[in-house]
Amino acid sequence: MSEPEVLRELGPLEAFLASVSDAPFLALDTETSGLDPHKDRVLLLQVGTATRQVLVDAAAVGPEAIRAIFDDRLIVMHNASFDLKMLMATYGDAAGLRSARVGDSQTCEQLLRNGRRSDVVMQGYSLKALAERYAGMELDKSIRQGFYGIQSLSELSSTELHYALRDVEATWKVFASQLPELERDGLTRVAGIEGAAAPAFAELELTGFPVDVDAWGSRLAEARGRSESTRRALDWEFREVADRDLFGGSTLNFDSDEEVLEALGRLGIRVQSTRRDALMATGHPAAAAVAAHREQQKIVSTYGESFIALAHEVTGRLHPRFKAIGAQTGRSACSEPNLQNIPSDSSFRSCFRAAEGRVLVTADYAGAELRILAEMSEDPVFSRAFMDGLDLHAAVASRLFGRRVDKESEPELRARAKAINFGLAYGMGAGGLAAQLGIPEREAEQLMQAHFRAFPRIRAFLEDAARQALRRGFGETMAGRKLWFTDMRRDGRDEGTLTRIAKNMPIQGTNADITKIALARLVRAFAREGLKARLVNMVHDEIVVELPEAEGEAGAEILRKEMIAAGAALLRKTPVEVDVMTSPSWTKG
DNA sequence: ATCTGTGGCGCG
DNA sequence: AAAGCGCGCCACAGAT
């Protein structure tokens, strides 16, 4: 085996790029010294096609090499956001990665397999697995361990360099095989959306969400105080039926459902579950005390030490992992920590503060899912309400209850309509609606009937979505993202659950499509306008950006404009509204 | 000592 | 009081 050549200058790289200029796309891979862009770096760049690849010493070249590679070409990576994140950290803004044209063989595979049996059976979406399936190539991923912790390329063996080249070859072949399949399944557009959003997800992870660790600690201490007090209340409520420890507290473990149910039973309270609503429905103070304590414990445990310990030792910020396709609907997911389930009141949210001299701009789509439902169903009342800029829940309430309803005069009726809009739209039953509204089931039943009479298009659309899922075997969003139902019974999901998923997926998934289009447009717009704005969080229909105070106004306008444009790209008839707020800290939408 | 599944609950 | 959908994280329980 000959020693692969490692390029160290721009000239030879440009010559190589010229020699493959006929290729419809190039594949790119990197080898890094580790996974943390704030501690590790790119060591090696590999770029090429199925037949020709080169290696580039990452330390020997500058951002102009990255620009030369990307240069408005389609560049395909496997799990693109990781490579982009490392490249952004290594080469900075001058590399122009925020305007890159990107394809991602990993997300493409997720799009192709979404809900299909192979999605379940296949061992993940690793390049190794796909290379085997698509190209019959054997990749030995253990070789990659050899790169971690090394200081320079000279430590790499010729074997390791050959393996690095094979990863590019495999990525190219996999993507080339995926292209006709994407075309066949009508997924080309959404594959483009996912690729375009990859730089945005890279930026989200790289930049991180700025958090005031001291302020967080104070909020946590307050929550602990409340937790101690709810605990004392519990000890009192259960004093007759629990043993005491040395300090007079009860020895009951209130985190154990079994023990709690048993103890409640000894107090004469029969309840089937320790869910909050079940406890509250008993009307017993001891049950309410359990619910109150659990609420505090949830805060202390989920948003406690382990959460804030994730603040990065170098940046002091939270750098979560975003899964671009985290749900079968197409939604993203976030972990370590999850920044998509921070309590919505201001207690913890206000601890997310922009760095000195900067501000946060928070922008969220107003009523996104209901606008999508209006667009897809073409229901005249829903559509008219949005076109006229009306309050939809109030409009629906007026129609349902036969009199004028607005937020101020009839908050109760409006709240009912809101619960109906959100619940019934996705197949909630009369029982669920009754529980939600605290009304008898008979009344809920009548409310449902009235809703379906008043909005026949909503019902027809949802039932059609369920029917199509069974007949065609898949549901789809407005961008063509699909979820296959043919193999979903395997998960032991019953017919009812499947129809509800079928009703919900096009709506939730279209929302995800729109937000991803917006993310992609935003990073490009910020780069184009030369702003120092950075994406720092996204929560399904909300995007948070951090930028210098002086850029605040311009940045806020770009956010509004690009998010609205993203909505209009899919919703042709229904107007989209975006609420934008600028503040030193994260504010509730 | 770890692993897996479950119930519960934070968010959209 | 198993059912409106989608996540991730916590603690428990039962297993290895």
Side-chain angles (χ1 to χ4, degrees), chain A residues 267-404:
Chain A
L267 287 174
I269 305 165
R270 271 200 296 280
V271 58
Q272 355 281 327
S273 137
T274 62
R275 295 161 52 94
R276 185 193 169 80
D277 51 357
L279 290 172
M280 297 312 284
T282 66
H284 195 291
V290 172
H293 182 60
R294 288 195 159 191
E295 192 175 331
Q296 292 311 312
Q297 274 304 107
K298 170 76 176 176
I299 301 295
V300 171
S301 59
T302 303
Y303 308 102
E305 287 305 330
S306 60
F307 183 98
I308 201 62
L310 289 166
H312 195 278
E313 56 178 299
V314 175
T315 68
R317 300 158 72 105
L318 294 167
H319 299 267
R321 297 160 41 133
F322 277 93
K323 271 193 276 186
I325 302 177
Q328 292 193 326
T329 57
R331 262 199 187 177
S332 64
C334 180
S335 62
E336 298 173 75
N338 183 358
L339 294 180
Q340 296 180 322
N341 71 343
I342 307 299
S344 63
D345 66 66
S346 64
S347 64
F348 284 102
R349 291 211 173 188
S350 63
C351 297
F352 293 100
R353 305 195 137 271
E356 192 61 36
R358 285 189 269 184
V359 290
L360 295 182
V361 180
T362 304
D364 68 303
Y365 287 109
E369 293 202 345
L370 290 172
R371 286 174 198 268
I372 292 164
L373 181 55
E375 173 86 9
M376 294 183 93
S377 70
E378 299 185 298
D379 179 272
V381 177
F382 274 49
S383 297
R384 176 52 57 192
F386 286 128
M387 282 190 273
D388 293 349
L390 302 178
D391 175 348
L392 176 78
H393 299 313
V396 167
S398 301
R399 183 68 172 252
L400 271 188
F401 304 116
R403 60 181 137 124
R404 229 184 111 79

Side-chain angles (χ1 to χ4, degrees), chain A residues 235-250:
Chain A
D235 287 341
W236 175 254
E237 291 292 345
F238 285 81
R239 66 192 179 282
E240 305 289 351
V241 296
D243 294 332
R244 309 279 184 85
D245 63 19
L246 290 173
F247 309 102
S250 102

Side-chain angles (χ1 to χ4, degrees), chain A residues 334-547:
Chain A
C334 180
S335 62
E336 298 173 75
N338 183 358
L339 294 180
Q340 296 180 322
N341 71 343
I342 307 299
S344 63
D345 66 66
S346 64
S347 64
F348 284 102
R349 291 211 173 188
S350 63
C351 297
F352 293 100
R353 305 195 137 271
E356 192 61 36
R358 285 189 269 184
V359 290
L360 295 182
V361 180
T362 304
D364 68 303
Y365 287 109
E369 293 202 345
L370 290 172
R371 286 174 198 268
I372 292 164
L373 181 55
E375 173 86 9
M376 294 183 93
S377 70
E378 299 185 298
D379 179 272
V381 177
F382 274 49
S383 297
R384 176 52 57 192
F386 286 128
M387 282 190 273
D388 293 349
L390 302 178
D391 175 348
L392 176 78
H393 299 313
V396 167
S398 301
R399 183 68 172 252
L400 271 188
F401 304 116
R403 60 181 137 124
R404 229 184 111 79
V405 171
D406 61 50
K407 213 171 199 163
E408 285 72 32
S409 68
E410 303 271 17
E412 178 58 32
L413 291 183
R414 182 182 179 277
R416 283 194 183 198
K418 187 175 175 180
I420 295 169
N421 284 337
F422 281 118
L424 296 197
Y426 310 128
M428 186 189 269
L433 183 62
Q436 182 93 36
L437 294 176
I439 59 174
E441 197 162 322
R442 275 204 58 79
E443 236 175 272
E445 183 66 47
Q446 286 169 358
L447 220 42
M448 283 179 62
Q449 297 294 339
H451 187 274
F452 287 137
R453 266 198 308 278
F455 309 108
R457 302 294 288 264
I458 301 285
R459 178 187 213 173
F461 165 74
L462 293 166
E463 287 182 351
D464 193 54
R467 199 165 34 243
Q468 293 280 322
L470 294 179
R471 212 177 57 202
R472 296 189 307 184
F474 63 88
E476 67 180 327
T477 68
M478 293 200 70
R481 183 191 305 274
K482 291 175 181 64
L483 172 59
W484 278 272
F485 286 83
T486 41
D487 300 325
M488 277 186 73
R489 274 163 234 274
R490 295 161 45 78
D491 311 353
R493 298 172 126 147
D494 63 46
E495 201 78 17
T497 303
L498 287 179
T499 60
R500 288 191 295 272
I501 295 173
K503 290 172 179 176
N504 176 252
M505 181 272 172
I507 298 169
Q508 189 183 115
T510 298
N511 194 0
D513 294 339
I514 290 172
T515 303
K516 287 176 181 181
I517 293 171
L519 288 173
R521 295 184 65 108
L522 275 170
V523 286
R524 296 180 81 93
F526 289 144
R528 189 174 60 237
E529 305 292 330
L531 298 184
K532 292 218 179 338
R534 291 288 185 270
L535 298 174
V536 290
N537 197 11
M538 69 90 80
V539 193
H540 309 307
D541 57 5
E542 169 180 352
I543 296 173
V544 187
V545 169
E546 183 187 23
L547 35 54

